[in-house]
Every structure is written in C-alpha cells, then in structure tokens.
Amino acid sequence: MLGRFDGDPATPQAISRWLHGKSMPRQRNIKALARMLRIEPTALQYGGTESARRVREPRPEYRISAQDQHAMDAYVVLPAKKRKLVREIIDVLSESDPKR
C-alpha cells in the first residue's frame, strides 16, 4: 500500500522491524504512512501529538464486580480439564440466553 501513497515498496520483514523498533522507515515511507493514516509525519517519528492519539482505537472499559473477579481468579487456577468444563457450561448457558 505504500506505493499508493508515494512510498517505496517494503518487505514484510522490513515492516516487522519497524513495528518492533529495530529500524526506522525511510523518510519517504514515513510520509507515505502518515498520509495513509491521515496524521502528521512527526507523529510517527516522535509520537505524543494530538494527531497520533486519534489513530488509536479507544479501549473498551470492562467493569466487573468483586464477586465476578473472585470467580475469574478461581477459574484461572483450576486444572485444564475443569476449566474446559466451565467453558462448556458457559457455552450451554449462553446459547439459551435470548439476549445474545
């Protein structure tokens, strides 16, 4: 897609290095990525600008009760067979729930 935004072609390996902070894209590709994301190129290089914040998707907030948190904590320490059984029970219960 970089070519569509006046950038140079990049291999999947190069893009992986960019994403893992092992290398930086060429200036031409930074500008192409910025055009693609509709943000300023400096936001990609340095972060922290208002434009860069608009790119990120908001994280949904999940609030659970202390009782539910206790149940989840108990679930994660169960042996694998029992966790599987709990998941199957939840699947059966959720199938009969008309809200889903």
Side-chain angles (χ1 to χ4, degrees):
M1 287 187 65
L2 288 171
R4 293 183 196 169
F5 294 90
D6 297 325
D8 296 322
T11 65
Q13 293 82 5
I15 295 169
S16 176
R17 287 192 302 270
W18 300 346
L19 294 173
H20 290 96
K22 295 180 180 176
S23 68
M24 287 287 293
R26 292 184 183 125
Q27 192 64 31
R28 182 179 171 117
N29 283 344
I30 288 176
K31 289 179 181 178
L33 288 166
R35 277 191 289 277
M36 204 164 49
L37 297 170
R38 297 183 185 147
I39 61 173
E40 293 296 318
T42 55
L44 288 175
Q45 289 177 300
Y46 307 109
T49 68
E50 186 61 35
S51 299
R53 284 189 212 113
R54 282 188 260 144
V55 173
R56 296 185 185 120
E57 292 184 23
R59 293 179 121 184
E61 287 190 32
Y62 298 103
R63 297 181 190 265
I64 62 173
S65 68
Q67 192 175 24
D68 289 339
Q69 183 63 52
H70 176 70
M72 291 173 65
D73 292 341
Y75 168 80
V76 296
V77 296
L78 288 172
K81 282 186 176 183
K82 289 186 178 182
R83 285 195 314 269
K84 182 180 179 203
L85 177 61
V86 171
R87 287 192 303 271
E88 290 171 356
I89 291 170
I90 291 170
D91 286 342
V92 169
L93 291 173
S94 65
E95 287 172 5
S96 64
D97 187 1
K99 294 178 187 173
R100 287 193 83 193

